[in-house]
Amino acid sequence: MKLKKNIPLIDQHDKYGFWGGKFGGSFIPETLKKPVEDLTKEFQKLRKNKKFINKRNFYFKNYIGSPTSFVKLENLSKHLGGAQIWAKVVSEANGGAHKIYNATVHALICKAMGKKYIVGDTGAGYAGKMLSMAAKKFGLKCKIFMGAKDIKRQKPNCDAMKKNGAEIVPVYSGSQTLVDAVSECMRYWVSNCDNTHMAVGSTVGPNIFVKICGWSTSQISRELKVQIKKKFKKIPKKIKLINCVGGGSSAYGFWSEFIDYNKNQIELIGVEAGGPKKSKLHAAPLSRNAKIGILHGAASYVCQNQEGQIKETESISAGLDYPGVSPIHCFLKDTKRARYTYATDEDALNAYKMVTKFEKINPSLEPCHAFAEAIKIAPKLSRDTIIIVNSCGDAKKDRDILKQRLGKK
Amino acid sequence: MTNSLIGQAFKNAKNEKRTALLTYTVAGDNTKKKSLEILKSISKYADICELGFPHNTPIADGGQIQTSAYRAIKNGIKINDVFSITSKFKKFKKNKPIILMGYYNMIFQYGNDKFIDKCKKSKVDGLIVVDLPYPENKTFASRCKKKGINFIQLVSPTTSKKRLKQIIKDSHDMVYYISMLSTTGGKLKESPKRILEKYYKIKALNKSKNVVIGFGITEKTIKSLNKADGLVVGSAICRVITNSVNKRQNTVTNVTNIVRRLKKKMK
Ligand SMILES: Cc1ncc(COP(=O)(O)O)c(C=O)c1O
């Protein structure tokens, strides 16, 4: 299994859609074969179309607000000693998280395909909120599938979805979290694929959804590359790019321009959700060595039992609380290009406390998992090491959880 | 496949000038023991029995079958129990074809070849794998065929003509036509007449293939579709199990009653 150079990772799959011969694919019911094929053809066409690219760039700049800033966290770096810690503040993007890139592109594709309805899944509520924003902007009717547990714990984002005119469909099956929301969204698409477009909220699902999402979020690293060159004159010798990984869309977007670099120069570190310290449950299939399985139409490392039943997960962070992970991250793991680890709920909360004490940014619980790793390794590293954390979400949505766990804020 | 029990079941129905009845129940629903009793009891009326091996993330199933699947899993069903239910059933009625149906991850974790071998040993006649579509299923399907197990291809209203031809060509004794864009258990969205029109187009590609229609078939709708080679009823049966459990009634009796009533409408 080997990575190729000069080809985007999203395109390094075989004719059946597998990365490294075994991750990804399209394990879908017959009914979805045609809509998936139509979407695949449309996307192939659109991504080569200058007008479409210009349109995308226009909305990325004027609607999402590119570039998001790249800042040094002076106080945090000083406090920890060792490596310099920087942040790419992707939470500045319209709506407050990276999910806006994928949502905007899906809305544009939906329009291009002449469909009027768009549906999507959400965990933290950001994918749903952004899709509802994009739908409103482009005049589409929008339905969002969300686990009942997540609706309770991410209320601010639900309020936003409703305000944007989207219908939230609560999902009561299973653990009532993201995994169930994705299943229910797919079921809805099976039944309505003739007039409805589906957006998957991360780099997961059947092959084409991994590609569209990765293609969208890669804007983050295109910006970052320019910003790094500007700040440091050239790409520094020792960089570590740290990103939380739920489905993996933010991490892929943050890394895509840097995958071809030698890992001794640019190390890629993915941080999964380890769950509560004392719990056996987690949402960390990569770093806790889950077996390969098929979930939501793709083969990836999946938290599951011996029989192949998908396991319940647990995390304080609704956005990372998912038993599977993107096939492209499985590929990056097996080729050893990226390293994956996890942070517990407590680690993430402590990171939140520390980051917000020293800096003016307000990262949500998802990127706090990445900050936890940065805080852990920074003191041991040299001063010329540049750690960059993708601060990919804003903590406004976590208001209630933070209040409950950390007291008044 | 020559002389498969599945092919034979369709022949028998044709000789009796009626449509074949295929039932779908979930292994382990509502318990392991009961699901075997249900199978035994309904096999008096059903021409082919489909038995689901339940998965907890079924992306193509509606509420009724989900409920049955979750209940069965909660009651402890394991994949080897599904095989032992099948074996026991086959000892009771060796000529009644049984088709296992489920999601690919369960097979993948068991090991493809090991799964097929175990099917053979347990006298499984056919397999339906919901999320392993054509052409990705070609290798798996031909391995099944080698062991004398029917791999049943699915086709749907969205299946293109070109694809339909290829699928029919590579299919074994039975093809499953999904009646509409829906998960299992949805209401019929199209008129039976429209469904049958599409059905005849599929039949016209190769008259010798047995094509069944499934999804959305209930006691109410079954009569209007009984021109097909076979009809599959799943959710309507699962619903009876759920209702019986809720009312603390005998699931075996109630399921047998609905299957008997369905059978009467096949002529
Ligand atoms: C702010 C934020 N970060 C990260 C994630 C995890 O998703 P992904 O790994 O696809 O970036 C989510 C998902 O909802 C999120 O809202």
Side-chain angles (χ1 to χ4, degrees), chain A residues 96-99 122-127 178 201-203 213 243-251 318-320 364 366-367 392-394 397:
Chain A
H98 65 287
K99 300 281 179 190
T122 196
Y126 270 134
L178 181 55
S202 184
T203 37
C213 186
N243 208 121
C244 61
V245 175
S249 64
S250 131
L320 306 182
S364 71
E366 290 81 14
C392 58
D394 186 282
K397 71 168 177 73

Side-chain angles (χ1 to χ4, degrees), chain A residues 213-402:
Chain A
C213 186
W215 187 78
S216 311
T217 54
S218 60
Q219 171 69 14
I220 300 168
S221 62
R222 277 197 298 275
E223 291 174 11
L224 181 61
K225 199 169 181 183
V226 175
Q227 288 167 322
I228 290 178
K229 281 184 181 159
K230 200 163 159 211
K231 281 267 175 9
F232 299 98
K233 306 286 185 290
K234 56 174 192 186
I235 307 278
K237 286 268 167 349
K238 279 183 257 174
I239 298 185
K240 295 184 189 299
L241 299 179
I242 310 185
N243 208 121
C244 61
V245 175
S249 64
S250 131
Y252 176 73
F254 192 48
W255 296 347
S256 57
E257 287 289 319
F258 304 102
I259 293 170
D260 283 359
Y261 285 79
N262 188 306
K263 74 173 170 192
N264 295 325
Q265 183 179 8
I266 303 186
E267 194 187 8
L268 311 175
I269 305 172
V271 187
E272 298 184 296
K277 212 168 167 175
K278 290 207 179 98
S279 171
K280 279 209 175 73
L281 301 179
H282 58 82
L286 292 168
S287 54
R288 295 177 81 161
N289 297 317
K291 281 196 307 177
I292 298 181
I294 288 101
L295 173 66
H296 296 143
S300 77
Y301 292 114
V302 176
C303 301
Q304 58 183 327
N305 72 12
Q306 263 201 326
E307 296 257 306
Q309 306 291 3
I310 306 306
K311 267 198 195 161
E312 274 205 35
T313 55
E314 191 179 1
S315 168
I316 191 169
S317 147
L320 306 182
D321 202 354
Y322 183 71
V325 67
S326 179
I328 50 185
H329 285 291
C330 300
F331 189 37
L332 286 172
K333 178 188 161 162
D334 276 23
T335 52
K336 301 201 163 62
R337 177 62 188 92
R339 164 171 87 79
Y340 296 89
T341 180
Y342 63 88
T344 63
D345 289 1
E346 291 78 7
D347 295 336
L349 284 167
N350 288 334
Y352 178 79
K353 274 199 290 197
M354 185 179 282
V355 172
T356 50
K357 180 175 162 201
F358 288 106
E359 302 292 342
K360 279 205 201 67
I361 56 172
N362 189 30
S364 71
L365 287 166
E366 290 81 14
C368 281
H369 283 71
F371 277 113
E373 179 67 14
I375 289 166
K376 192 168 120 192
I377 64 174
K380 294 178 262 183
L381 297 169
S382 61
R383 227 163 264 276
D384 61 345
T385 304
I386 314 294
I387 289 179
I388 309 172
V389 177
N390 182 359
S391 191
C392 58
D394 186 282
K396 258 185 235 127
K397 71 168 177 73
D398 295 326
R399 186 183 63 196
D400 299 344
I401 305 169
L402 291 168

Side-chain angles (χ1 to χ4, degrees), chain B residues 80-94:
Chain B
N80 278 328
D81 300 323
V82 179
F83 288 122
S84 92
I85 289 170
T86 309
S87 291
K88 283 179 190 156
F89 173 74
K90 280 293 199 169
K91 276 185 196 125
F92 171 78
K93 220 171 216 179
K94 72 176 198 309

Side-chain angles (χ1 to χ4, degrees), chain B residues 39-51:
Chain B
L39 270 186
K40 285 180 176 174
S41 177
I42 62 178
S43 66
K44 204 166 141 196
Y45 308 104
D47 294 286
I48 296 172
C49 296
E50 290 182 11
L51 185 65

